[in-house]
Amino acid sequence: MTKYAVVTGGTRGIGLSITEKLAADGYQVVALYHGNEEAAKACEEATGAKTYKVDVGNYSECEELIMQIENELGPIYLLVNNAGITKDGVFHKMSKDSWDAVIQTNLDSCFNMCRHVVPFMRERQSGRIVNISSINGQKGQFGQVNYSAAKAGMIGFTKALALESAAKGITVNTICPGYIATDMTSSMNQDVLDMIIKQIPAGRMGKPEEIAELVAFLGSEAAAFINRRSCR
């Protein structure tokens, strides 16, 4: 039986590596994206994944998409909430729009997607949810009050949802990556990056595929007893 996996933000960066890994492991992947049509097309061609354009911060769009996947493709076994954006700035200068955009994309999206996927998983008494948070949701970061708040919220969301879902055969876990070499971090000032790397025990930034390997494990039967964890 084909297992379907849905990856939000699944056509670029960490999300693309997750899509690639899950596709290689035999999943039929549905990779969601918001605006980059070129990246979506490249993802489809490279991985065989189906791509859908959707605003994961919009409750109704998520509901419509999940119903479409369940009714037209197949049952969603694995949901990876990976979509994320940054709109950095010190708090005393942060606009309401910058706050809202980050909270909606990074945190509201978890509710929007899970709210429509979880009932199906509960009915089947089987499923995996992996939320991609951030180390900055654990320790905070200068200039990222909005991002840190959203990512910290994902951790609390995960722990509570895991408690509610475990008896139905559903596991819910969070991955909190440190600094990963993606387009998002490549735009950072090199002096800042050098300072960050000096604080990393491995002496380097992480690779997207290293996060993808952990997602694949948490989505597997081998991780059936791992639940409510926040992995770094």
Side-chain angles (χ1 to χ4, degrees), residues 178-194:
Y179 285 86
I180 308 299
T182 64
D183 290 343
M184 187 179 290
T185 54
S186 67
S187 64
M188 295 174 65
N189 181 281
Q190 188 59 49
D191 290 339
V192 174
L193 281 176
D194 290 342

Side-chain angles (χ1 to χ4, degrees), residues 122 125 162-170 227:
R122 289 178 65 88
Q125 297 197 34
L163 288 173
E164 294 184 11
S165 305
K168 293 295 185 179
I170 305 165
N227 202 17

Side-chain angles (χ1 to χ4, degrees), residues 145-208:
V145 169
N146 49 3
Y147 184 82
S148 297
K151 293 301 187 179
M154 290 178 73
I155 297 171
F157 176 94
T158 296
K159 291 180 181 294
L161 183 58
L163 288 173
E164 294 184 11
S165 305
K168 293 295 185 179
I170 305 165
T171 66
V172 190
N173 290 288
T174 310
I175 298 173
C176 298
Y179 285 86
I180 308 299
T182 64
D183 290 343
M184 187 179 290
T185 54
S186 67
S187 64
M188 295 174 65
N189 181 281
Q190 188 59 49
D191 290 339
V192 174
L193 281 176
D194 290 342
M195 188 183 308
I196 289 169
I197 291 171
K198 288 180 182 178
Q199 300 173 27
I200 300 173
R204 65 172 177 84
M205 298 181 72
K207 302 175 183 178

Side-chain angles (χ1 to χ4, degrees), residues 5-225:
V6 175
V7 183
T8 70
T11 62
R12 300 172 60 196
I14 292 174
L16 175 58
S17 288
I18 293 170
T19 295
E20 291 171 340
K21 172 60 179 173
L22 296 179
D25 284 356
Y27 287 89
Q28 176 59 60
V29 184
V30 178
L32 310 185
Y33 71 101
H34 185 249
N36 193 320
E37 303 279 356
E38 185 177 342
K41 183 178 180 180
C43 174
E44 280 190 347
E45 293 175 350
T47 67
K50 295 181 180 296
T51 61
Y52 290 85
K53 184 175 182 179
V54 62
D55 177 3
V56 291
N58 184 295
Y59 183 83
S60 297
E61 286 190 29
C62 291
E63 180 180 23
E64 183 178 344
L65 176 69
I66 295 305
M67 295 302 293
Q68 181 181 353
I69 294 170
E70 286 279 343
N71 293 329
E72 298 179 8
L73 298 180
I76 298 168
Y77 174 76
L78 170 61
L79 169 63
V80 183
N81 286 307
N82 167 75
I85 62 170
T86 58
K87 287 187 177 293
D88 296 349
V90 291
F91 182 74
H92 64 278
K93 294 182 178 180
M94 183 173 291
S95 69
K96 183 67 162 57
D97 286 345
S98 292
W99 172 268
D100 288 345
V102 171
I103 296 297
Q104 288 168 5
T105 299
N106 297 23
L107 181 57
D108 287 355
S109 61
C110 290
F111 174 81
N112 296 341
M113 294 297 293
C114 288
R115 180 62 185 82
H116 303 300
V117 170
V118 166
F120 287 108
M121 290 183 172
R122 289 178 65 88
E123 183 178 342
R124 292 188 287 265
Q125 297 197 34
S126 177
R128 301 281 185 270
I129 297 172
V130 181
N131 298 320
I132 309 300
S133 179
S134 168
I135 190 173
N136 290 345
Q138 296 177 317
K139 72 177 186 60
Q141 180 60 272
F142 186 95
Q144 287 194 329
V145 169
N146 49 3
Y147 184 82
S148 297
K151 293 301 187 179
M154 290 178 73
I155 297 171
F157 176 94
T158 296
K159 291 180 181 294
L161 183 58
L163 288 173
E164 294 184 11
S165 305
K168 293 295 185 179
I170 305 165
T171 66
V172 190
N173 290 288
T174 310
I175 298 173
C176 298
Y179 285 86
I180 308 299
T182 64
D183 290 343
M184 187 179 290
T185 54
S186 67
S187 64
M188 295 174 65
N189 181 281
Q190 188 59 49
D191 290 339
V192 174
L193 281 176
D194 290 342
M195 188 183 308
I196 289 169
I197 291 171
K198 288 180 182 178
Q199 300 173 27
I200 300 173
R204 65 172 177 84
M205 298 181 72
K207 302 175 183 178
E209 53 266 33
E210 291 172 321
I211 305 304
E213 290 286 346
L214 184 52
V215 170
F217 171 68
L218 291 173
S220 72
E221 288 301 317
F225 199 64

